[in-house]
Amino acid sequence: MAASLLSSSCSNPTAVLAMLVTSMMAAPAVVMASLHDDIELMFGGDHFAFHTGGDGVETLALRLDKDHGAGFRSKESYLFARYDIDLKLVANDSAGTVTTVYLTPDLVPPEEHDEIDMEFLGNVTGEPYTLHTNIFVNGVGNREQQFRLWFDPSKDFHTYSIEWNPKHIIMFIDGTPIRVYKNEASRGVPFPTLRRLRLDGSLWNADEWATQGGRVKTNWTQAPFYAYYRNFRVTPCTASCGEKGLDEAALRRPREDHLLYDYCEDQNRFKDNGLPKECTLD
């Protein structure tokens, strides 16, 4: 290609310039953002480290031991965006540990708190991870759905995403949708629309509830535990975000095969006041 462009440059330089511009426009723009520049420490500064591997990608390692874990947040907040980040979770006996990715605002009164959670609950060696999801609006959560991960998330990095726009919240694993929460505010269902949210991440001990309801405790002889984050990307919402239709078939497959718990199906839990309104809409 280069040789042919050079050979034709003397006879038709305008054509060569046009070809070069077209080639540059067709090539995808590759932007490697620095994770170090995009996030800031929340807690556990001595359990928080960056390194760059042989592939040139900067990775953040969070460490958990008996003293404490660690957490970070994005420096920027957004009112509607898609957040993507790659994680490799705690390996081997991870029971009692929780690795998180979630969206949350800056400090607000409890009754104004919004939050969109993806929490990865560790397990004993050989048993699968559970993904615990929840959505809080105006300080109220109780919208839990849980999934059994169908792969080993400690063997390699996988991409976890939260798409939040005026029409819906969608959670993805490696581009596959697993949960949708629609904006039905016009029908009386709470939906977060007022506060800008940051992406937070953390690794901490929650053995009072995380694994088998707290029956299996953290095995501290296996400490320290590590979780790894990299490739944090944010796509801010534009005027057209939310217009793309949801792939219902892609959503249905992981829910049919891997959904463990859905608050909308827990009649006993809500027997006194009935299921939340979003669970009963057509």
Side-chain angles (χ1 to χ4, degrees), residues 176-238:
T176 297
I178 61 167
R179 178 175 184 177
V180 177
Y181 183 81
K182 296 180 180 179
N183 185 350
E184 300 283 4
S186 63
R187 304 170 74 181
V189 176
F191 189 87
T193 59
L194 299 178
R195 285 164 282 277
R196 299 169 66 89
L197 302 180
R198 301 176 188 268
L199 181 136
D200 291 22
S202 61
L203 172 61
W204 52 290
N205 177 51
D207 65 3
E208 70 276 8
W209 65 272
T211 305
Q212 299 180 31
R215 291 187 296 275
V216 180
K217 302 300 183 182
T218 303
N219 181 358
W220 293 112
T221 66
Q222 301 299 306
F225 304 99
Y226 291 92
Y228 303 93
Y229 296 75
R230 68 180 186 180
N231 288 334
F232 173 46
R233 294 91 73 197
V234 178
T235 307
C237 192
T238 64

Side-chain angles (χ1 to χ4, degrees), residues 31-40 50 57-60 72-78 81-87 101-103 157-162 197-201 229-235:
V31 179
M32 296 300 293
S34 170
L35 188 62
H36 186 275
D37 293 335
D38 291 338
I39 66 171
E40 58 191 14
F50 291 96
V57 178
E58 186 178 45
T59 299
L60 168 66
F72 68 90
R73 68 176 186 174
S74 63
K75 291 181 179 178
E76 300 295 331
S77 61
Y78 301 86
R82 173 166 170 152
Y83 304 75
D84 301 270
I85 195 164
D86 300 348
L87 274 74
V101 173
Y102 60 103
L103 307 186
F157 285 91
H158 293 266
T159 302
Y160 304 94
S161 311
I162 300 173
L197 302 180
R198 301 176 188 268
L199 181 136
D200 291 22
Y229 296 75
R230 68 180 186 180
N231 288 334
F232 173 46
R233 294 91 73 197
V234 178
T235 307

Side-chain angles (χ1 to χ4, degrees), residues 49-113:
F50 291 96
H51 69 272
T52 301
D55 56 3
V57 178
E58 186 178 45
T59 299
L60 168 66
L62 300 185
R63 187 173 91 238
L64 169 67
D65 56 29
K66 265 194 168 183
D67 293 331
H68 56 81
F72 68 90
R73 68 176 186 174
S74 63
K75 291 181 179 178
E76 300 295 331
S77 61
Y78 301 86
L79 184 61
F80 306 125
R82 173 166 170 152
Y83 304 75
D84 301 270
I85 195 164
D86 300 348
L87 274 74
K88 185 162 67 171
L89 302 182
V90 175
N92 302 318
D93 189 350
S94 58
T97 70
V98 176
T99 307
T100 70
V101 173
Y102 60 103
L103 307 186
T104 189
D106 291 330
L107 292 177
V108 295
E111 66 273 13
E112 297 180 6
H113 184 77

